[in-house]
């Protein structure tokens, strides 16, 4: 049994069958990069995993527990859905920070609201909130933004904003952290700082799925690379093999058009 | 030149004699203006939100009906709406449910103004709601926030920031639009000023009190402009 499994996930938008039975699995602490040309369904796959979209078919399991099952007929409560969703974190291409909150408050908003659901919240209020603040400070340090804690997103560069977004996702300690082209909205000179943060997380064995066009990065940090084409996984393997000896003509063509 | 000068002096002498009486009358008229203004805001601000949700409903008939009503209300003159609201019950239904006198006129005017302004506000709200990127909703969702938390903690302030400038314009317009209630003889400040033409409190044939009412509107809308630009400034610490 793998740590994380996606079984036969399909998704259509109208008559456009975007995912056509995606099967995929990874182990705890692994880093998997997903590559593929635009429109191949990478974003849709991440959105189905993080349950921003509901897949039409298939199952998603974390540690053997189903977190999504298209065949499930029983209606889940909203809270149960959120609980399952929280197995995953998602970092967006466009950061999507909350503009009206300071960096620190962006990190603390969700954990504080979640903490209210703790049965002993009223008793341990101060303690819980202090823990959250401490964690936020530690994570900010990890992404190198300690001095920016009190600033607002609009005062930061794109690279800094994306690092805040990563920190915000880490606050809820997701089992699997997903990234959708985290550097694609950045100026080229700002991608390095974000990729460095990802490398550091990889060293700490945070389980990550990263959709990326940064081939050099994918090759360096990934335990596994997955190539998507037309809504299926066309080829997968360890980075050296995949980049050196692509088997399918499609991957060969894709790599030929990409600068390493 | 000398003649012009002396007639000007005479005018101001007359004016200063009449001023205390006129001032008092205009003040009580303006109180009615303020009441209409306040009641309209109190009613239209929440009603506009309901209409905005209706006009964005996924239930097509509700959405269609709401947008149709909004189109009628925004597309026809408020003055006509006032006349219809005030006279329709009595003339057509033979039952003037507004009641007689100033209270009846105030009720009818409030009703017409609230509906009219709620429709305008609803369009502003709708643009504010739609101005918040879906990414904000989705970021909240993947962080495990509930629908209510996403609305109140994430989206609401961004919407408010977006709607403050158009709401300011609309509210300043409302200040001046209250004068339309004159058409059903509501005793607001214009009515009070006009009364000195026909004759009131021993003053008649005077036009200046009517002109002077403009000062009330200027001062009040000036105050509101200052207030709202402060609010706008307060919200300028973040950019969406
Ligand atoms: N919400 C949606 N509604 C309709 N079509 C969509 C939607 N999201 C994605 N698609 C379509 O799905 C296909 C795959 O898109 P996407 O998953 O974004 O690919 P990628 O991230 O690999 O570029 C595209 O053809 C896109 O137009
Ligand atoms: Mg994409």
């Amino acid at each position: 049994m793998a740590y994380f499994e996606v079984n036969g996930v399909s998704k259509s938008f109208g008559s456009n069958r975007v995912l056509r039975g995606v099967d995929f699995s990874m182990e705890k602490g692994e880093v998997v990069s997903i590559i593929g040309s635009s429109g191949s369904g990478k974003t849709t796959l991440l959105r189905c995993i993080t349950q921003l979209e509901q897949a039409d078919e298939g199952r998603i399991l974390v540690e053997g527990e189903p977190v999504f099952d298209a065949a499930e007929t029983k209606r889940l409560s909203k809270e149960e859905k959120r609980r399952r969703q929280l197995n995953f974190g998602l970092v967006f291409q466009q950061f999507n920070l909350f503009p009206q909150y300071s960096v620190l408050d962006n990190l603390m908003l969700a954990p504080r609201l979640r903490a209210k659901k703790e049965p002993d919240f009223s008793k341990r209020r101060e303690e819980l909130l202090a823990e959250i603040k401490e964690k936020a400070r530690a994570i900010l340090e990890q992404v190198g933004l300690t001095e920016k804690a009190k600033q607002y997103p609009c005062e930061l560069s794109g690279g800094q904003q994306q690092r805040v977004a990563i920190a915000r996702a880490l606050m809820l300690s997701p089992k699997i952290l997903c990234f959708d082209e985290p550097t694609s909205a950045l100026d080229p000179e700002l991608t390095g700082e974000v990729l460095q943060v990802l490398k550091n997380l990889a060293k700490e064995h945070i389980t990550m799925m990263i959709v990326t066009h940064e081939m050099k990065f994918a090759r360096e940090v990934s335990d596994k690379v997955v190539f998507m084409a037309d809504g299926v996984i066309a080829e997968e393997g360890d980075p050296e093999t995949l980049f050196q000896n692509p088997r399918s003509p499609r991957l060969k063509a894709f790599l030929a058009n990409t600068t390493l | 030149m000398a003649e012009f000068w002396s007639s000007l002096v005479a005018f101001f002498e007359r004016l200063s004699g009449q001023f205390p009486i006129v001032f008092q009358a205009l003040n009580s008229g303006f109180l009615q203006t303020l009441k209409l203004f306040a009641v309209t805001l109190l009613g239209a601000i929440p009603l506009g939100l309901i209409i905005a949700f209706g006009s964005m409903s996924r239930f097509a008939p509700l959405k269609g009906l709401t947008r149709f009503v909004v189109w009628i209300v925004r597309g026809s003159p408020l003055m006509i709406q006032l006349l219809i609201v005030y006279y329709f019950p009595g003339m057509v239904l033979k039952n003037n449910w507004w009641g007689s006198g100033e209270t009846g006129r105030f009720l009818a005017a409030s009703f017409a103004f609230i509906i009219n302004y709620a429709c305008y506000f609803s369009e502003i709200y709708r643009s504010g709601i739609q101005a918040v990127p879906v990414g904000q909703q989705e970021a909240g969702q993947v962080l495990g926030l509930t629908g209510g938390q996403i609305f109140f903690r994430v989206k609401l302030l961004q919407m408010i920031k977006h709607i403050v400038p158009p709401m300011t314009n609309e509210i300043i317009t409302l200040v001046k639009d209250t004068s339309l209630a004159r058409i059903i003889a509501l005793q607001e400040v214009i009515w009070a000023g006009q009364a000195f033409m026909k004759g009131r409190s021993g003053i008649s044939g005077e036009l200046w009190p009517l002109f002077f009412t403009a000062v009330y509107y200027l001062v009040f809308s000036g105050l509101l402009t200052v207030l709202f630009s402060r609010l706008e400034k307060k919200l300028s610490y973040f950019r969406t």
Side-chain angles (χ1 to χ4, degrees):
Chain A
M1 181 193 78
Y3 184 64
F4 174 46
E5 264 180 76
V6 172
N7 292 336
V9 163
S10 296
K11 175 72 188 172
S12 300
F13 293 109
S15 59
N16 183 9
R17 193 141 184 258
V18 175
L19 296 181
R20 303 157 182 257
V22 174
D23 288 299
F24 162 86
S25 72
M26 67 191 285
E27 294 305 328
K28 188 170 181 175
E30 276 190 338
V31 176
V32 172
S33 291
I34 301 175
I35 59 172
S37 48
S38 167
S40 56
K42 305 180 299 295
T43 296
T44 306
L45 177 61
L46 283 195
R47 290 174 63 86
C48 286
I49 289 171
T50 55
Q51 298 178 33
L52 289 176
E53 299 287 353
Q54 191 159 349
D56 305 323
E57 294 162 36
R59 295 205 310 161
I60 298 169
L61 304 117
V62 176
E63 298 181 293
E65 294 276 321
V67 293
F68 175 80
D69 187 349
E72 199 166 44
T73 47
K74 175 178 84 173
R75 262 184 79 95
L76 297 173
S77 72
K78 286 190 172 163
E79 179 53 24
E80 175 61 15
K81 266 193 198 147
R82 277 193 293 276
R83 210 183 53 73
R84 292 178 172 200
Q85 193 168 26
L86 283 173
N87 283 291
F88 307 96
L90 177 60
V91 173
F92 301 86
Q93 192 175 336
Q94 300 294 344
F95 333 135
N96 295 338
L97 293 177
F98 304 135
Q100 72 270 42
Y101 293 120
S102 70
V103 166
L104 196 62
D105 287 336
N106 262 276
L107 266 63
M108 296 194 301
L109 179 70
R112 281 183 163 174
L113 292 172
R114 294 297 306 171
K116 283 188 184 167
K117 294 210 165 68
E118 301 279 329
D120 51 354
F121 177 74
S122 48
K123 254 190 289 165
R124 296 178 49 220
R125 191 192 153 85
E126 298 303 317
E127 189 187 336
L128 286 170
L129 294 183
E131 271 171 25
I132 289 168
K133 193 160 198 169
E134 204 173 305
K135 183 169 183 183
R137 295 231 177 251
I139 290 178
L140 265 191
E141 195 179 336
Q142 209 179 350
V143 300
L145 289 173
T146 304
E147 313 84 70
K148 304 288 181 188
K150 293 229 153 58
Q151 304 221 269
Y152 290 89
C154 63
E155 299 169 312
L156 305 181
S157 72
Q160 291 168 337
Q161 289 190 48
Q162 190 60 301
R163 281 145 70 196
V164 174
I166 295 169
R168 183 176 68 174
L170 285 169
M171 282 298 289
L172 295 166
S173 311
K175 289 182 180 156
I176 295 129
L177 186 49
C178 304
F179 297 80
D180 191 5
E181 301 194 26
T183 57
S184 291
L186 299 176
D187 294 334
E189 71 272 17
L190 298 177
T191 58
E193 60 188 80
V194 172
L195 295 179
Q196 189 54 51
V197 167
L198 295 187
K199 284 178 193 166
N200 295 346
L201 295 180
K203 277 191 205 118
E204 289 175 37
H205 303 291
I206 305 276
T207 314
M208 295 190 282
M209 274 183 87
I210 308 170
V211 171
T212 184
H213 289 300
E214 302 276 347
M215 294 303 152
K216 186 167 162 285
F217 165 81
R219 198 164 168 171
E220 276 171 36
V221 303
S222 315
D223 297 291
K224 184 160 85 176
V225 176
V226 165
F227 172 63
M228 278 189 76
D230 280 337
V232 292
I233 290 176
E235 195 165 337
E236 61 182 298
D238 69 89
E240 286 314 311
T241 322
L242 197 104
F243 285 117
Q244 294 296 338
N245 301 309
R247 279 169 287 135
S248 61
R250 299 202 61 157
L251 178 54
K252 280 179 193 157
F254 176 75
L255 291 175
N257 286 324
T258 326
T259 44
L260 279 191
Chain B
M1 192 63 205
E3 200 179 318
F4 170 74
W5 199 240
S6 64
S7 63
L8 199 67
V9 169
F11 172 69
F12 277 105
E13 272 173 6
R14 202 174 80 229
L15 191 147
S16 63
Q18 295 168 341
F19 191 79
I21 300 165
V22 171
F23 188 59
Q24 208 175 22
L26 292 188
N27 280 350
S28 67
F30 192 63
L31 196 67
Q32 190 72 318
T33 298
L34 280 181
K35 261 167 66 187
L36 181 58
F37 173 81
V39 165
T40 303
L41 284 189
L42 245 74
I45 285 174
L47 182 61
L49 198 58
I50 295 170
I51 297 175
F53 285 130
S55 71
M56 292 185 296
S57 169
R58 264 173 289 186
F59 182 57
L62 177 63
K63 176 172 148 176
L65 183 72
T66 318
R67 293 203 177 181
F68 181 69
V69 171
V70 170
W71 171 68
I72 300 250
V73 171
R74 297 208 324 156
S76 63
L78 175 54
M79 191 189 276
I80 306 291
Q81 291 166 22
L82 270 164
L83 290 171
I84 292 175
V85 164
Y86 185 53
Y87 290 111
F88 185 85
M91 276 171 44
V92 182
L93 307 176
K94 303 290 174 215
N95 170 18
N96 181 12
W97 62 54
W98 301 117
S100 59
E102 184 68 359
T103 319
R105 288 190 290 268
F106 184 78
L107 280 178
S110 303
F111 182 86
F113 270 84
I114 287 172
I115 300 292
N116 185 276
Y117 270 83
C119 286
Y120 279 95
F121 290 170
S122 77
E123 293 290 285
I124 295 176
Y125 293 157
R126 188 152 68 96
S127 79
I129 291 169
Q130 288 168 346
V132 179
V134 269
Q136 293 289 306
Q137 166 84 31
E138 293 180 344
Q141 261 173 279
V142 293
L143 289 167
L145 304 192
T146 65
Q149 289 168 342
I150 292 172
F151 184 81
F152 287 105
R153 311 271 182 154
V154 175
K155 288 163 46 168
L156 186 59
L157 196 63
Q158 297 180 47
M159 287 174 200
I160 290 174
K161 182 184 169 80
H162 188 84
I163 68 173
V164 165
M167 285 295 278
T168 306
N169 286 339
E170 217 50 63
I171 289 171
I172 300 288
T173 305
L174 170 61
V175 173
K176 295 170 288 172
D177 270 0
T178 51
S179 63
L180 290 171
R182 167 70 191 84
I183 198 72
I184 58 169
L186 186 78
Q187 296 172 12
E188 42 70 74
V189 67
I190 300 266
W191 182 91
Q194 231 179 352
F196 292 103
M197 291 166 71
K198 281 193 223 132
R200 173 182 180 179
S201 314
I203 299 170
S204 68
E206 283 293 3
L207 204 51
W208 76 264
L210 179 59
F211 293 173
F212 190 73
T213 58
V215 174
Y216 284 79
Y217 292 103
L218 278 173
V219 170
F220 188 48
S221 59
L223 277 176
L224 288 175
T225 307
V226 171
L227 206 77
F228 281 113
S229 62
R230 274 205 196 155
L231 179 59
E232 208 175 320
K233 210 160 168 194
K234 244 196 155 126
L235 291 173
S236 69
Y237 76 91
F238 73 89
R239 274 203 309 272
T240 53

